[in-house]
Amino acid sequence: MSDFDQDAVVNQEEQPSDLENLLALAASHPNASAEVLALAATSQSAYVRCKVAENERASCDVLDELMHDCTSVRVALARNPKAVERVWSLATDSSPRVRLTLAKNANLPDHVYEALAQDTDPQVARQARRTLYKIRQDNNPVVSLYHLFRRAS
């Protein structure tokens, strides 16, 4: 069974309880405390741990622990801009889904996209090239002026 199939099975079987929903809500809050995030990271629910993994206020220790979690949590971690310090572990993750999500993250150094553009999974490689192209276009002053004048007319 692929990572995608396993996550689909986990997501169908795992309906969060009211307590888990409350903990997930707290863990996803932009002002969640380090203590709340550390507690939520120990939840049995992957749903709750995903919310912690996406939160930029999660401590480095918590993020390091989540690096070894299930695929869905590592995918959530790949969305977190603070995860840049862990980027090489995510870029070489065994799951193409984790690498694909990382390739969609527009907060990484160019050399990460260049490495992912050589990925063995064609979808990951294509996404890395797209993201890198978009970043370079957005940072191009000529293109920026073109769009500015286009909106003004």
Side-chain angles (χ1 to χ4, degrees):
M1 192 179 309
S2 74
D3 285 335
F4 294 107
D5 296 336
Q6 288 173 347
D7 283 342
V9 169
V10 167
N11 289 337
Q12 288 174 354
E13 292 175 358
E14 188 180 304
Q15 293 297 322
S17 68
D18 289 342
L19 180 59
E20 289 169 334
N21 279 326
L22 186 60
L23 192 53
L25 184 63
S28 63
H29 194 280
N31 294 324
S33 70
E35 294 80 15
V36 166
L37 293 169
L39 174 66
T42 65
S43 171
Q44 293 294 315
S45 169
Y47 173 69
V48 172
R49 294 190 315 274
C50 283
K51 296 300 182 184
V52 174
E54 292 173 340
N55 194 315
E56 294 179 43
R57 295 193 59 152
S59 71
C60 292
D61 291 340
V62 166
L63 295 178
D64 287 342
E65 285 297 316
L66 296 175
M67 287 290 300
H68 308 288
D69 210 313
C70 66
T71 300
S72 59
V73 173
R74 295 190 325 269
V75 166
L77 187 60
R79 290 188 196 104
N80 188 331
K82 190 176 176 182
V84 172
E85 299 156 3
R86 290 139 192 90
V87 74
W88 285 115
S89 292
L90 293 169
T92 58
D93 195 277
S94 61
S95 169
R97 187 170 166 218
V98 172
R99 297 190 314 272
L100 178 62
T101 303
L102 187 65
K104 292 177 182 178
N105 185 336
N107 299 304
L108 306 174
D110 286 359
H111 64 274
V112 174
Y113 303 111
E114 291 164 359
L116 287 169
Q118 306 302 316
D119 197 276
T120 56
D121 185 288
Q123 192 176 7
V124 172
R126 187 171 38 255
Q127 181 61 54
R129 288 191 295 272
R130 282 185 190 145
T131 303
L132 184 58
Y133 177 79
K134 182 176 180 350
I135 290 168
R136 288 182 175 162
Q137 288 298 308
D138 289 348
N139 292 335
N140 183 328
V142 174
V143 173
S144 297
L145 281 174
Y146 168 78
H147 289 295
L148 179 67
F149 285 117
R150 190 168 177 210
R151 277 184 261 160
S153 58

